Amino acid sequence: MKIKRICGGSYSLRFDKEIDIEKILEFFKEYSIVFKSSDSVKIKKDRKEIMIFKYGEMLFYNFEEDEVKEIAENLKNV
């Protein structure tokens, strides 16, 4: 996994493989689904938004870097 800061203070978390969106969504139960397709989903909780892509990337908006690092650590085995 690799975390990278992208424009606007957002973060990208890249996996080395394709990810199972349904398993990832189990981890974010307190988030509501804004949009969902067969290969991506956008979830939201308050101001925090996450885009999850099946090809192995997650984009975090309105998160601190430490929060993204903690999420990455928790998702290592998903």
Side-chain angles (χ1 to χ4, degrees):
M1 274 188 246
K2 186 181 200 181
I3 298 172
K4 184 167 135 183
R5 188 179 176 111
I6 55 177
C7 62
S10 301
Y11 294 90
S12 166
L13 173 60
R14 293 285 295 218
F15 293 79
D16 299 331
K17 60 182 180 181
E18 197 171 273
I19 56 177
D20 184 336
I21 290 177
E22 294 304 319
K23 284 186 180 179
I24 297 287
L25 285 176
E26 288 176 23
F27 182 79
F28 294 103
K29 289 179 183 174
E30 67 278 3
Y31 285 69
S32 57
I33 295 174
V34 176
F35 168 83
K36 187 174 182 182
S37 71
S38 61
D39 62 352
S40 66
V41 66
K42 180 179 183 178
I43 57 177
K44 182 176 181 168
K45 179 182 176 191
D46 300 322
R47 290 190 64 239
K48 297 180 182 204
E49 296 181 5
I50 305 170
M51 283 290 303
I52 305 167
F53 299 95
K54 185 177 181 178
Y55 65 82
E57 184 172 18
M58 296 174 69
L59 301 177
F60 295 86
Y61 303 97
N62 300 313
F63 280 80
E64 297 295 326
E65 186 173 1
D66 290 342
E67 292 174 302
V68 177
K69 286 179 180 178
E70 183 179 331
I71 290 169
E73 191 63 36
N74 290 326
L75 292 177
K76 268 187 177 176
N77 299 318
V78 173

Coordinates of all heavy atoms in Angstrom, one line a residue:
M1 N 0.8 -1.2 0.0 CA 0.0 0.0 0.0 C 0.9 1.2 0.0 O 1.9 1.3 0.6 CB -0.9 0.0 1.2 CG -2.2 -0.7 1.1 SD -3.2 -0.4 2.6 CE -3.2 -2.0 3.3
K2 N 0.4 2.3 -0.7 CA 1.1 3.5 -0.8 C 0.2 4.7 -0.6 O -0.9 4.8 -1.2 CB 1.8 3.5 -2.1 CG 2.7 4.7 -2.4 CD 3.2 4.5 -3.8 CE 4.5 5.3 -4.0 NZ 5.0 5.2 -5.4
I3 N 0.5 5.6 0.3 CA -0.3 6.8 0.6 C 0.4 8.0 -0.1 O 1.6 8.1 0.0 CB -0.4 7.1 2.1 CG1 -1.2 5.9 2.7 CG2 -1.2 8.4 2.3 CD1 -1.2 6.0 4.2
K4 N -0.4 8.8 -0.8 CA 0.2 9.9 -1.5 C -0.7 11.1 -1.4 O -2.0 10.9 -1.5 CB 0.4 9.5 -3.0 CG 1.0 10.6 -3.9 CD 1.4 9.9 -5.2 CE 1.0 10.7 -6.4 NZ 1.3 10.0 -7.6
R5 N -0.2 12.2 -1.1 CA -1.0 13.5 -1.0 C -1.3 13.9 -2.4 O -0.4 14.0 -3.2 CB -0.2 14.5 -0.2 CG -1.1 15.7 0.1 CD -0.3 16.7 0.9 NE -1.1 17.9 1.1 CZ -1.6 18.3 2.2 NH1 -1.3 17.6 3.3 NH2 -2.3 19.4 2.3
I6 N -2.5 14.3 -2.7 CA -2.9 14.8 -4.0 C -3.5 16.2 -3.8 O -3.6 16.7 -2.7 CB -3.9 13.8 -4.7 CG1 -5.1 13.5 -3.8 CG2 -3.2 12.5 -5.0 CD1 -6.2 12.7 -4.5
C7 N -3.8 16.8 -4.9 CA -4.3 18.2 -4.9 C -5.4 18.5 -3.9 O -6.2 17.6 -3.6 CB -4.7 18.6 -6.3 SG -6.1 17.7 -6.9
G8 N -5.4 19.7 -3.4 CA -6.4 20.1 -2.5 C -6.3 19.5 -1.1 O -7.3 19.5 -0.3
G9 N -5.2 18.9 -0.7 CA -5.0 18.3 0.6 C -5.7 17.0 0.8 O -5.9 16.5 1.9
S10 N -6.0 16.3 -0.3 CA -6.6 15.0 -0.3 C -5.6 14.0 -0.3 O -4.4 14.3 -0.6 CB -7.6 14.8 -1.5 OG -8.6 15.8 -1.4
Y11 N -5.9 12.7 -0.2 CA -5.0 11.6 -0.1 C -5.4 10.5 -1.0 O -6.6 10.2 -1.1 CB -4.8 11.1 1.3 CG -4.1 12.1 2.2 CD1 -4.9 13.0 2.9 CD2 -2.7 12.3 2.2 CE1 -4.3 14.0 3.7 CE2 -2.1 13.2 3.0 CZ -2.9 14.1 3.7 OH -2.3 15.1 4.5
S12 N -4.5 9.8 -1.6 CA -4.7 8.6 -2.4 C -4.0 7.4 -1.7 O -2.9 7.5 -1.2 CB -4.1 8.7 -3.8 OG -4.0 7.5 -4.4
L13 N -4.8 6.3 -1.5 CA -4.2 5.1 -0.9 C -4.3 4.1 -2.0 O -5.4 3.7 -2.5 CB -5.1 4.7 0.3 CG -4.8 3.3 0.9 CD1 -3.3 3.2 1.4 CD2 -5.7 3.0 2.0
R14 N -3.1 3.6 -2.5 CA -3.1 2.6 -3.6 C -2.7 1.2 -3.0 O -1.8 1.1 -2.2 CB -2.0 3.0 -4.6 CG -2.3 4.2 -5.4 CD -3.3 4.0 -6.4 NE -2.8 3.1 -7.5 CZ -3.1 3.3 -8.7 NH1 -3.8 4.3 -9.2 NH2 -2.7 2.4 -9.6
F15 N -3.5 0.2 -3.5 CA -3.2 -1.1 -3.1 C -2.4 -1.8 -4.2 O -2.4 -1.3 -5.3 CB -4.5 -1.9 -2.9 CG -5.3 -1.5 -1.7 CD1 -6.1 -0.3 -1.8 CD2 -5.3 -2.2 -0.5 CE1 -6.8 0.1 -0.7 CE2 -6.0 -1.8 0.5 CZ -6.8 -0.6 0.5
D16 N -1.7 -2.9 -3.9 CA -0.9 -3.6 -4.9 C -1.8 -4.6 -5.7 O -1.3 -5.3 -6.5 CB 0.2 -4.4 -4.3 CG 1.1 -3.4 -3.5 OD1 1.3 -2.3 -3.9 OD2 1.7 -3.9 -2.5
K17 N -3.1 -4.6 -5.5 CA -4.0 -5.5 -6.1 C -5.4 -4.9 -6.3 O -5.7 -3.9 -5.7 CB -4.1 -6.8 -5.3 CG -4.6 -6.5 -3.9 CD -4.6 -7.8 -3.0 CE -5.2 -7.3 -1.7 NZ -5.2 -8.4 -0.7
E18 N -6.2 -5.6 -7.0 CA -7.6 -5.2 -7.1 C -8.3 -5.5 -5.7 O -7.9 -6.4 -5.0 CB -8.3 -6.1 -8.1 CG -9.6 -5.6 -8.6 CD -10.2 -6.3 -9.8 OE1 -9.9 -6.0 -10.9 OE2 -11.0 -7.2 -9.5
I19 N -9.2 -4.6 -5.3 CA -9.8 -4.8 -4.0 C -11.3 -5.2 -4.1 O -12.0 -4.9 -5.1 CB -9.6 -3.5 -3.1 CG1 -10.2 -2.2 -3.9 CG2 -8.2 -3.2 -2.8 CD1 -10.2 -1.0 -3.1
D20 N -11.8 -5.8 -3.0 CA -13.2 -6.2 -2.9 C -13.9 -5.0 -2.3 O -13.8 -4.8 -1.0 CB -13.3 -7.5 -2.1 CG -14.7 -8.0 -2.0 OD1 -15.6 -7.2 -2.2 OD2 -14.8 -9.2 -1.8
I21 N -14.7 -4.3 -3.0 CA -15.4 -3.1 -2.5 C -16.3 -3.5 -1.4 O -16.4 -2.8 -0.4 CB -16.2 -2.4 -3.7 CG1 -15.1 -1.7 -4.6 CG2 -17.1 -1.4 -3.1 CD1 -15.8 -1.1 -5.8
E22 N -17.0 -4.6 -1.5 CA -18.0 -5.0 -0.4 C -17.3 -5.2 0.9 O -17.8 -4.8 1.9 CB -18.7 -6.3 -0.9 CG -19.7 -6.0 -2.0 CD -20.7 -4.9 -1.8 OE1 -21.2 -4.8 -0.7 OE2 -20.9 -4.2 -2.8
K23 N -16.1 -5.8 0.9 CA -15.3 -6.0 2.1 C -14.9 -4.7 2.7 O -14.9 -4.5 3.9 CB -14.1 -6.9 1.9 CG -14.5 -8.4 1.7 CD -13.3 -9.2 1.6 CE -13.6 -10.7 1.5 NZ -12.4 -11.6 1.4
I24 N -14.5 -3.8 1.8 CA -14.0 -2.5 2.3 C -15.2 -1.7 2.9 O -15.1 -1.1 4.0 CB -13.5 -1.6 1.1 CG1 -12.2 -2.3 0.5 CG2 -13.2 -0.2 1.6 CD1 -11.0 -2.2 1.4
L25 N -16.4 -1.9 2.3 CA -17.6 -1.2 2.8 C -17.9 -1.7 4.2 O -18.5 -0.9 5.0 CB -18.8 -1.3 1.9 CG -18.7 -0.5 0.6 CD1 -19.9 -0.8 -0.3 CD2 -18.7 1.0 0.9
E26 N -17.7 -2.9 4.5 CA -18.0 -3.4 5.9 C -17.2 -2.7 6.9 O -17.6 -2.5 8.0 CB -17.6 -4.9 6.0 CG -18.5 -5.8 5.2 CD -18.1 -7.3 5.2 OE1 -17.3 -7.7 6.1 OE2 -18.5 -8.0 4.3
F27 N -16.0 -2.2 6.6 CA -15.1 -1.5 7.5 C -15.7 -0.1 7.7 O -15.5 0.5 8.8 CB -13.7 -1.4 6.9 CG -12.7 -0.6 7.8 CD1 -12.2 -1.3 8.9 CD2 -12.4 0.7 7.5 CE1 -11.3 -0.6 9.7 CE2 -11.5 1.4 8.3 CZ -11.0 0.7 9.4
F28 N -16.4 0.5 6.7 CA -17.0 1.8 6.8 C -18.5 1.8 7.0 O -19.2 2.6 6.4 CB -16.6 2.6 5.5 CG -15.1 2.9 5.4 CD1 -14.4 2.1 4.5 CD2 -14.5 3.9 6.1 CE1 -13.0 2.3 4.4 CE2 -13.2 4.1 6.0 CZ -12.4 3.3 5.1
K29 N -19.0 1.0 7.9 CA -20.4 0.9 8.1 C -21.1 2.2 8.5 O -22.3 2.4 8.2 CB -20.7 -0.2 9.2 CG -20.4 -1.6 8.8 CD -20.6 -2.6 9.9 CE -20.3 -4.0 9.4 NZ -20.3 -4.9 10.5
E30 N -20.4 3.1 9.2 CA -21.0 4.3 9.7 C -21.1 5.4 8.6 O -21.7 6.4 8.8 CB -20.3 4.9 10.9 CG -18.9 5.3 10.7 CD -17.8 4.3 10.6 OE1 -18.1 3.1 10.8 OE2 -16.6 4.6 10.5
Y31 N -20.6 5.1 7.4 CA -20.6 6.0 6.3 C -21.9 5.7 5.4 O -22.3 4.5 5.3 CB -19.4 5.8 5.4 CG -18.1 6.5 6.0 CD1 -17.5 5.9 7.1 CD2 -17.6 7.6 5.4 CE1 -16.4 6.5 7.7 CE2 -16.4 8.2 5.9 CZ -15.9 7.6 7.1 OH -14.7 8.2 7.6
S32 N -22.4 6.7 4.8 CA -23.5 6.4 3.9 C -23.0 6.4 2.4 O -22.1 7.1 2.1 CB -24.6 7.5 4.1 OG -24.1 8.8 3.9
I33 N -23.7 5.6 1.6 CA -23.3 5.5 0.2 C -24.0 6.6 -0.6 O -25.2 6.8 -0.5 CB -23.7 4.1 -0.3 CG1 -23.0 3.0 0.4 CG2 -23.5 4.0 -1.8 CD1 -23.4 1.6 0.0
V34 N -23.1 7.3 -1.3 CA -23.6 8.4 -2.1 C -23.8 7.9 -3.5 O -24.8 8.3 -4.2 CB -22.6 9.6 -2.1 CG1 -23.0 10.7 -3.1 CG2 -22.3 10.1 -0.7
F35 N -22.9 7.1 -4.0 CA -23.0 6.6 -5.4 C -22.3 5.2 -5.4 O -21.3 5.0 -4.7 CB -22.2 7.5 -6.3 CG -21.9 6.9 -7.7 CD1 -22.9 7.0 -8.7 CD2 -20.7 6.3 -8.0 CE1 -22.7 6.4 -9.9 CE2 -20.5 5.8 -9.2 CZ -21.5 5.8 -10.2
K36 N -22.9 4.3 -6.2 CA -22.3 2.9 -6.2 C -22.5 2.4 -7.6 O -23.6 2.5 -8.2 CB -22.9 2.0 -5.2 CG -22.3 0.7 -5.1 CD -22.8 -0.1 -4.0 CE -22.1 -1.5 -3.9 NZ -22.7 -2.3 -2.8
S37 N -21.4 1.8 -8.2 CA -21.5 1.1 -9.5 C -20.7 -0.2 -9.3 O -20.3 -0.5 -8.3 CB -20.8 2.0 -10.6 OG -19.4 2.0 -10.4
S38 N -20.6 -0.9 -10.4 CA -19.9 -2.2 -10.3 C -18.4 -2.1 -10.0 O -17.8 -3.1 -9.5 CB -20.1 -3.0 -11.6 OG -19.5 -2.3 -12.7
D39 N -17.8 -1.0 -10.3 CA -16.4 -0.9 -10.1 C -15.9 0.3 -9.2 O -14.7 0.5 -9.0 CB -15.6 -0.8 -11.4 CG -16.0 0.4 -12.2 OD1 -17.0 1.1 -11.8 OD2 -15.4 0.7 -13.3
S40 N -16.9 1.0 -8.6 CA -16.5 2.1 -7.7 C -17.7 2.4 -6.8 O -18.8 2.1 -7.0 CB -16.1 3.3 -8.5 OG -17.2 3.9 -9.2
V41 N -17.4 3.1 -5.7 CA -18.4 3.6 -4.7 C -17.9 4.9 -4.1 O -16.7 5.0 -3.9 CB -18.7 2.5 -3.7 CG1 -17.6 2.2 -2.8 CG2 -19.9 2.9 -2.8
K42 N -18.8 5.8 -3.8 CA -18.5 7.0 -3.0 C -19.3 6.9 -1.8 O -20.5 6.7 -1.8 CB -18.8 8.2 -3.8 CG -18.5 9.5 -3.1 CD -18.9 10.7 -4.0 CE -18.5 12.0 -3.3 NZ -18.8 13.2 -4.1
I43 N -18.6 7.1 -0.6 CA -19.2 7.1 0.7 C -18.9 8.4 1.4 O -17.9 9.1 1.1 CB -18.8 5.9 1.5 CG1 -17.3 5.8 1.7 CG2 -19.3 4.6 0.9 CD1 -16.8 4.7 2.6
K44 N -19.8 8.7 2.4 CA -19.6 10.0 3.1 C -20.1 9.9 4.5 O -21.0 9.2 4.8 CB -20.5 11.0 2.3 CG -20.4 12.4 2.9 CD -21.2 13.4 2.1 CE -21.1 14.8 2.7 NZ -21.6 15.8 1.9
K45 N -19.4 10.7 5.4 CA -19.8 10.8 6.8 C -19.4 12.2 7.1 O -18.2 12.6 7.2 CB -19.1 9.8 7.7 CG -19.4 10.0 9.1 CD -18.7 9.0 10.0 CE -19.0 9.2 11.4 NZ -18.1 8.4 12.3
D46 N -20.4 13.1 7.4 CA -20.2 14.5 7.7 C -19.5 15.1 6.5 O -19.9 15.0 5.4 CB -19.4 14.7 9.0 CG -20.2 14.1 10.2 OD1 -21.5 14.2 10.2 OD2 -19.6 13.5 11.1
R47 N -18.3 15.7 6.7 CA -17.5 16.3 5.7 C -16.6 15.3 5.0 O -16.0 15.7 3.9 CB -16.7 17.5 6.2 CG -17.6 18.7 6.6 CD -16.7 19.9 6.9 NE -16.0 20.4 5.7 CZ -14.7 20.5 5.6 NH1 -13.9 20.2 6.6 NH2 -14.1 20.9 4.5
K48 N -16.4 14.2 5.6 CA -15.4 13.2 5.1 C -16.0 12.4 3.9 O -17.1 11.9 4.1 CB -14.9 12.3 6.2 CG -14.1 13.1 7.2 CD -13.6 12.3 8.3 CE -12.9 13.2 9.3 NZ -11.9 12.6 10.1
E49 N -15.3 12.3 2.8 CA -15.7 11.5 1.7 C -14.6 10.6 1.2 O -13.4 10.9 1.3 CB -16.1 12.4 0.5 CG -17.3 13.3 0.8 CD -17.7 14.2 -0.3 OE1 -17.1 14.1 -1.4 OE2 -18.5 15.1 -0.1
I50 N -15.0 9.4 0.8 CA -14.1 8.4 0.3 C -14.6 7.9 -1.1 O -15.8 7.5 -1.1 CB -13.9 7.3 1.2 CG1 -13.5 7.8 2.6 CG2 -12.8 6.3 0.7 CD1 -13.5 6.7 3.7
M51 N -13.7 7.9 -2.1 CA -14.0 7.2 -3.3 C -13.2 5.9 -3.3 O -12.0 5.9 -3.1 CB -13.6 8.0 -4.5 CG -14.5 9.2 -4.8 SD -16.2 8.7 -5.5 CE -15.7 7.7 -6.9
I52 N -13.9 4.8 -3.6 CA -13.2 3.5 -3.6 C -13.3 2.9 -5.0 O -14.4 2.8 -5.5 CB -13.9 2.5 -2.6 CG1 -13.9 3.2 -1.2 CG2 -13.1 1.2 -2.6 CD1 -14.8 2.4 -0.2
F53 N -12.2 2.5 -5.6 CA -12.2 2.0 -6.9 C -11.7 0.5 -6.9 O -10.7 0.2 -6.2 CB -11.2 2.8 -7.8 CG -11.7 4.2 -8.0 CD1 -11.1 5.2 -7.1 CD2 -12.6 4.6 -8.9 CE1 -11.5 6.5 -7.3 CE2 -13.0 5.9 -9.0 CZ -12.5 6.9 -8.2
K54 N -12.4 -0.3 -7.6 CA -12.1 -1.8 -7.6 C -10.7 -2.0 -8.0 O -10.0 -3.0 -7.6 CB -13.1 -2.5 -8.5 CG -13.0 -3.9 -8.6 CD -14.1 -4.5 -9.5 CE -14.0 -6.0 -9.5 NZ -15.0 -6.6 -10.3
Y55 N -10.1 -1.2 -8.9 CA -8.8 -1.5 -9.4 C -7.7 -1.3 -8.4 O -6.5 -1.6 -8.6 CB -8.5 -0.6 -10.7 CG -8.4 0.9 -10.4 CD1 -7.3 1.5 -9.9 CD2 -9.5 1.7 -10.7 CE1 -7.2 2.8 -9.7 CE2 -9.5 3.0 -10.5 CZ -8.3 3.6 -10.0 OH -8.3 5.0 -9.8
G56 N -8.1 -0.8 -7.2 CA -7.1 -0.8 -6.1 C -6.7 0.6 -5.6 O -5.6 0.8 -5.1
E57 N -7.6 1.5 -5.7 CA -7.3 2.9 -5.2 C -8.5 3.4 -4.4 O -9.6 3.2 -4.7 CB -7.0 3.8 -6.3 CG -6.5 5.2 -5.8 CD -6.0 6.1 -6.9 OE1 -6.3 5.9 -8.1 OE2 -5.3 7.1 -6.6
M58 N -8.1 4.2 -3.3 CA -9.1 4.9 -2.5 C -8.7 6.3 -2.4 O -7.5 6.6 -2.2 CB -9.2 4.3 -1.1 CG -9.7 2.9 -1.1 SD -9.6 2.1 0.6 CE -10.9 3.1 1.4
L59 N -9.6 7.3 -2.6 CA -9.3 8.7 -2.5 C -10.0 9.2 -1.3 O -11.2 9.0 -1.1 CB -9.8 9.4 -3.7 CG -9.2 9.0 -5.0 CD1 -9.8 9.7 -6.2 CD2 -7.7 9.1 -5.0
F60 N -9.3 10.0 -0.4 CA -9.8 10.5 0.8 C -9.9 12.0 0.8 O -8.9 12.7 0.5 CB -8.9 10.1 2.0 CG -8.9 8.6 2.2 CD1 -8.1 7.8 1.5 CD2 -9.8 8.0 3.2 CE1 -8.0 6.4 1.8 CE2 -9.7 6.7 3.4 CZ -8.9 5.9 2.7
Y61 N -11.1 12.6 1.0 CA -11.3 14.0 1.0 C -11.6 14.5 2.4 O -12.5 13.8 3.1 CB -12.4 14.4 0.0 CG -12.1 13.9 -1.4 CD1 -12.7 12.7 -1.8 CD2 -11.3 14.6 -2.2 CE1 -12.5 12.3 -3.1 CE2 -11.1 14.2 -3.5 CZ -11.6 13.0 -4.0 OH -11.4 12.5 -5.2
N62 N -11.0 15.5 2.9 CA -11.2 16.1 4.2 C -10.8 15.2 5.3 O -11.4 15.2 6.4 CB -12.7 16.5 4.4 CG -13.2 17.5 3.3 OD1 -12.5 18.5 3.1 ND2 -14.3 17.3 2.7
F63 N -9.7 14.5 5.1 CA -9.1 13.6 6.1 C -7.7 14.2 6.4 O -7.1 14.8 5.6 CB -8.9 12.2 5.6 CG -10.1 11.3 5.6 CD1 -11.1 11.4 4.7 CD2 -10.3 10.4 6.6 CE1 -12.2 10.6 4.7 CE2 -11.4 9.6 6.7 CZ -12.4 9.7 5.7
E64 N -7.2 13.9 7.6 CA -5.9 14.2 8.0 C -5.0 13.1 7.6 O -5.5 11.9 7.5 CB -5.7 14.5 9.5 CG -6.5 15.7 10.0 CD -6.0 17.0 9.5 OE1 -4.8 17.1 9.3 OE2 -6.9 17.9 9.3
E65 N -3.7 13.3 7.4 CA -2.8 12.2 6.9 C -2.8 11.1 8.0 O -2.8 9.9 7.6 CB -1.4 12.8 6.7 CG -0.5 11.7 6.2 CD 0.9 12.3 5.8 OE1 1.1 13.5 6.0 OE2 1.7 11.5 5.3
D66 N -2.8 11.4 9.2 CA -2.7 10.4 10.3 C -4.0 9.5 10.2 O -3.9 8.3 10.5 CB -2.6 11.0 11.7 CG -1.3 11.6 11.9 OD1 -0.3 11.3 11.2 OD2 -1.2 12.4 12.9
E67 N -5.1 10.0 9.9 CA -6.3 9.2 9.8 C -6.2 8.3 8.6 O -6.6 7.1 8.7 CB -7.6 10.2 9.5 CG -7.9 11.0 10.7 CD -9.0 12.0 10.4 OE1 -8.9 12.8 9.4 OE2 -10.1 11.9 11.0
V68 N -5.7 8.7 7.5 CA -5.5 7.8 6.3 C -4.5 6.7 6.6 O -4.7 5.6 6.3 CB -5.1 8.7 5.1 CG1 -4.8 7.7 3.9 CG2 -6.1 9.7 4.7
K69 N -3.4 7.1 7.3 CA -2.5 6.0 7.7 C -3.1 5.0 8.6 O -2.8 3.8 8.5 CB -1.3 6.7 8.4 CG -0.3 7.4 7.5 CD 0.8 8.1 8.3 CE 1.7 8.8 7.3 NZ 2.8 9.5 8.0
E70 N -3.9 5.4 9.6 CA -4.6 4.5 10.5 C -5.6 3.6 9.7 O -5.6 2.4 9.9 CB -5.4 5.2 11.5 CG -6.0 4.3 12.6 CD -6.8 5.1 13.6 OE1 -6.4 6.2 14.0 OE2 -7.7 4.6 14.2
I71 N -6.3 4.1 8.8 CA -7.2 3.3 7.9 C -6.4 2.3 7.1 O -6.8 1.2 7.0 CB -8.1 4.3 7.0 CG1 -9.1 5.0 7.9 CG2 -8.8 3.5 5.9 CD1 -9.8 6.2 7.2
A72 N -5.3 2.8 6.5 CA -4.5 1.9 5.7 C -4.0 0.7 6.5 O -4.0 -0.4 6.1 CB -3.3 2.7 5.1
E73 N -3.6 1.0 7.8 CA -3.1 -0.1 8.6 C -4.2 -1.1 8.9 O -4.0 -2.3 8.9 CB -2.6 0.5 9.9 CG -1.9 -0.4 10.8 CD -0.6 -1.0 10.2 OE1 0.1 -0.3 9.5 OE2 -0.3 -2.2 10.5
N74 N -5.4 -0.6 9.2 CA -6.6 -1.4 9.5 C -7.0 -2.2 8.3 O -7.7 -3.3 8.4 CB -7.7 -0.6 10.0 CG -7.5 -0.1 11.4 OD1 -6.8 -0.7 12.2 ND2 -8.0 1.1 11.7
L75 N -6.8 -1.7 7.1 CA -7.2 -2.4 5.8 C -6.2 -3.4 5.3 O -6.5 -4.0 4.2 CB -7.6 -1.4 4.8 CG -8.9 -0.5 5.1 CD1 -9.1 0.5 3.9 CD2 -10.1 -1.4 5.2
K76 N -5.0 -3.5 5.9 CA -4.0 -4.3 5.3 C -4.4 -5.7 5.0 O -4.0 -6.3 4.0 CB -2.8 -4.4 6.3 CG -1.8 -3.4 6.1 CD -0.6 -3.6 7.0 CE 0.5 -2.6 6.7 NZ 1.6 -2.8 7.6
N77 N -5.2 -6.3 5.8 CA -5.6 -7.7 5.6 C -7.0 -7.9 5.0 O -7.5 -9.0 5.0 CB -5.6 -8.4 7.0 CG -4.2 -8.4 7.6 OD1 -3.2 -8.6 6.8 ND2 -4.1 -8.2 8.8
V78 N -7.6 -6.8 4.4 CA -8.9 -6.9 3.8 C -8.7 -7.3 2.4 O -7.8 -6.9 1.7 CB -9.6 -5.6 3.9 CG1 -10.9 -5.6 3.1 CG2 -9.9 -5.2 5.4

